[in-house]
Structure formats: structure tokens, C-alpha cells
Amino acid sequence: RVHVLGVVPDVFIWMRRADAFVLPTLYETFCFAAYEAAKCSLPLLVGRVDGTESLIEEGVNGWFVDSSADIALALNLLCDPSTRERVGKAAGARVEEFTWARFVDGYVALYESLLDRRL
């Protein structure tokens, strides 16, 4: 079943009620929504777009999906509650290393390296 809720004030309340996060998009500048879903310990079924390659470990915390057949196969695997829980916990654990401090430190290091090259 799919429930379309429209705009909601706190998406995390609803994400925590879901069984999986499915985003078969072909383009994203950075798939931040997948990181948010992983933080909610949801199994991830996403397209291969910017950001997901660093997050997904195929079959461990989610799957890359390129077609409706891929989605159906992954959802069938997630019908097993123990599989769904294991994959969701792995997604939650994986995303823990992606902190705001790490992102900021990475950008600072990048800008400092660019300044060093310029000087």
C-alpha cells in the first residue's frame, strides 16, 4: 500500500512508520532524502544518483533499483520482518558516520587546498 500525504510538517514521524524508503529517481544533485530515511532505520531502495553510492551497500542496508522489477524484488525480500529489521538497522548504522561536522570539515579542507594552490 502507498499513502500519499502531501506536505507534512514533520516528515520523520511518517518515515518512522514506513517499512522501506523507495526513491527510484534518475537524477538528484545530492540524495539527502536517502540519508534522512537511513537515519530513520529504513531499508533503502534508491537509484544510483549523487550521494547514494557512498551510502548503499547492496543487499546490506538497501538496494539500487533501476526498474519496477528491481523494486518488486527488493520489496519481496523485505516482506520478511527479520530481513526488513536487519537491513533497516544497517542503514541506520551506516549513516551515523555522515555527520554535519564531517561535511563541514570536508569543505574546509577542500577550500584550504584550493587556497594553497592559488598562493
Side-chain angles (χ1 to χ4, degrees):
R1 290 178 298 182
V2 175
H3 299 277
V4 179
L5 302 173
V7 177
V8 294
D10 186 355
V11 70
F12 293 108
I13 290 171
W14 295 99
M15 277 191 175
R16 288 185 186 102
R17 294 179 181 177
D19 292 321
F21 178 77
V22 182
L23 186 66
T25 186
L26 298 175
Y27 177 78
E28 294 283 331
T29 55
F30 182 82
C31 196
F32 195 71
Y35 287 75
E36 292 172 326
K39 185 69 176 167
C40 293
S41 295
L42 287 174
L44 305 169
L45 286 66
V46 298
R48 288 182 189 273
V49 294
D50 287 342
T52 61
E53 300 260 338
S54 299
L55 181 62
I56 300 293
E57 188 175 346
E58 190 86 22
V60 174
N61 61 0
W63 292 270
F64 290 110
V65 293
D66 297 316
S67 67
S68 58
D70 291 343
I71 295 169
L73 179 64
L75 289 175
N76 278 329
L77 293 171
L78 294 174
C79 284
D80 173 50
S82 64
T83 300
R84 190 171 54 247
E85 183 178 352
R86 177 182 49 79
V87 174
K89 282 184 179 180
R94 175 73 176 119
V95 79
E96 287 300 318
E97 74 180 69
F98 296 98
T99 64
W100 283 112
R102 180 178 174 205
F103 282 121
V104 170
D105 290 346
Y107 277 110
V108 168
L110 171 65
Y111 291 140
E112 286 175 348
S113 74
L114 294 172
L115 281 173
D116 288 344
R117 284 189 224 162
R118 195 166 172 230
L119 300 175

